[in-house]
Amino acid sequence: MINHPHRQRAAVTRYCKERRIALDVREDGWLLVLGNGRERHLIFGYDLGLNSAVAHRIACDKAATSALLAASGVPAVPHALFLAPTVTGVSAPAWTTMLELIETHPTGLVVKPNEGTSGRAVTRVRTSAELKDALTQIFETGASAAIAPLLEIADEVRVIMLDGAPLIVYRKLRPVVTGDGLHSLRDLALQAVPVEQQSRLLRRLAVEFDASTLQAIIPQGEQRLLSWRHNLEFGAQPVLLTEGPLRETCTALARDAARAVDIRYASVDVVMADGQWQVLEINSGVKMEALGEYAPELVEEATFAALDAIFGCRPSGSTAGPPDIPQ
């Protein structure tokens, strides 16, 4: 399961063994109890426990994050908050206000759970009917939704930050196929992945495209994206960024965002849209399970650095700060 912190748990286990810290694994690995004789520390899910409760709650709330960043002068994608009727106590959502957003953004909107992660239940809408359907689905199981303008995102970069320093910086490249004039989008997509990954790919494609689009023949030389999302869970590939202008720009923006939220350990997603880099979201729970499929050593080193910040210890013979992450 990509949602389960298997790699994080493995990294924490190795860390505790090397640092001689006691580890008690509970709730199938979702709750970890660490102790070194002087102090006790809890890890729950993907929250390593470095951030304050307020910073964690703000980062988990897309609308609150965008509002705070805007007030702090940090470029960010705006997210409007809407509460479910079960929260407000009224019989129906504020449809009038929501539908006005369609008129304001005729190119479309993105509807998502206000506190969701990994791109799940994130929907593009362009009509009032689509907007109502997307919101109804979210409100059936969630307390709130966030609505953002649909942007033409040219690039997306994730920066994993610890106390203002970047641990890992990588681009998210969406999967693409090139037509040959003979095969359909579905066939070209299946040809691009190993057999053992095809069933998972077909499930993703069914969410992204209708049947006619999947069966259409792609003309020779034309390219098609297999997902409009930049999430690794939806097939995007991570490309580590070395030192350079792009990395510096994205890191500086991520640092400003982390400072505005007063968060210590987080992953910050920044996007190039409308001709400028801006923050899409901040994640207090740093999920690196999908990244670990490509660079497990980086996931472990980043986890070690975060845990060192918690326990104030360093590898034997070291007096430096958090370990450098090779690019």
Side-chain angles (χ1 to χ4, degrees):
M1 289 177 58
I2 201 68
N3 279 330
H4 198 285
H6 293 298
R7 295 183 185 276
Q8 176 182 282
R9 173 182 167 182
V12 173
T13 300
R14 284 190 289 272
Y15 179 89
C16 290
K17 183 178 180 180
E18 290 187 14
R19 304 294 197 271
R20 297 183 179 181
I21 294 173
L23 173 63
D24 183 9
V25 179
R26 297 177 178 268
E27 302 300 321
D28 194 29
W30 284 103
L31 174 61
L32 305 179
V33 183
L34 290 70
N36 61 3
R38 300 185 307 276
E39 56 186 314
R40 176 172 172 267
H41 183 78
L42 304 178
I43 295 175
F44 184 72
Y46 293 99
D47 185 357
L48 292 189
L50 264 169
N51 301 319
S52 71
V54 172
H56 172 73
R57 292 298 304 133
I58 292 174
C60 288
D61 188 306
K62 294 179 176 60
T65 296
S66 68
L68 180 57
L69 293 181
S72 304
V74 179
V77 177
H79 287 72
L81 172 67
F82 292 95
L83 299 176
T86 54
V87 176
T88 62
V90 299
S91 58
W95 291 124
T96 301
T97 303
M98 297 177 188
L99 295 177
E100 288 176 353
L101 292 175
I102 287 286
E103 300 178 5
T104 305
H105 302 282
T107 58
L109 301 168
V110 177
V111 181
K112 60 187 75 173
N114 188 46
E115 298 188 20
T117 61
S118 301
R120 288 170 176 76
V122 177
T123 308
R124 292 182 300 180
V125 302
R126 291 186 172 86
T127 68
S128 299
E130 291 175 343
L131 177 59
K132 283 190 174 183
D133 287 344
L135 286 167
T136 299
Q137 291 181 22
I138 291 175
F139 289 156
E140 285 179 351
T141 57
S144 60
I147 301 179
L150 177 60
L151 302 175
E152 187 64 37
I153 295 178
D155 204 351
E156 181 169 331
V157 172
R158 170 161 289 187
V159 184
I160 298 176
M161 303 287 295
L162 173 61
D163 290 331
L167 295 179
I168 307 175
V169 184
Y170 64 90
R171 299 174 71 181
K172 303 178 183 180
L173 295 185
R174 292 173 291 177
V176 63
V177 295
T178 303
D180 58 7
L182 300 173
H183 294 89
S184 66
L185 176 64
R186 178 184 183 277
D187 292 340
L188 291 170
L190 290 175
Q191 292 172 14
V193 300
V195 174
E196 61 271 18
Q197 297 180 17
Q198 290 183 355
S199 59
R200 181 179 172 187
L201 173 62
L202 287 174
R203 290 194 295 270
R204 290 203 306 260
L205 293 176
V207 174
E208 298 284 340
F209 305 99
D210 57 37
S212 60
T213 301
L214 286 174
Q215 296 301 328
I217 303 299
I218 308 301
Q220 176 75 34
E222 290 192 9
Q223 291 189 326
R224 295 286 190 276
L225 286 168
L226 297 183
S227 177
W228 64 277
R229 298 172 175 87
H230 285 78
N231 302 84
L232 268 59
E233 290 85 350
F234 283 86
Q237 302 287 317
V239 177
L240 293 174
L241 292 179
T242 58
E243 295 297 333
L246 176 59
R247 188 180 193 276
E248 293 173 2
T249 297
C250 294
T251 296
L253 182 56
R255 184 179 293 112
D256 289 343
R259 184 181 297 116
V261 178
D262 195 22
I263 198 165
R264 296 185 61 191
Y265 183 54
S267 62
V268 183
D269 289 337
V270 298
V271 297
M272 169 55 71
D274 292 338
Q276 69 167 340
W277 284 101
Q278 47 193 307
V279 176
L280 178 63
E281 64 181 29
I282 300 175
N283 300 287
S284 177
V286 180
K287 295 176 64 175
M288 296 186 287
E289 296 297 305
L291 177 63
E293 296 181 8
Y294 303 91
E297 72 285 354
L298 297 188
V299 172
E300 179 170 299
E301 290 183 35
T303 304
F304 272 42
L307 292 173
D308 274 344
I310 292 170
F311 286 97
C313 55
R314 297 287 179 265
S316 178
S318 172
T319 59
D324 293 332
I325 304 299
Q327 298 299 318

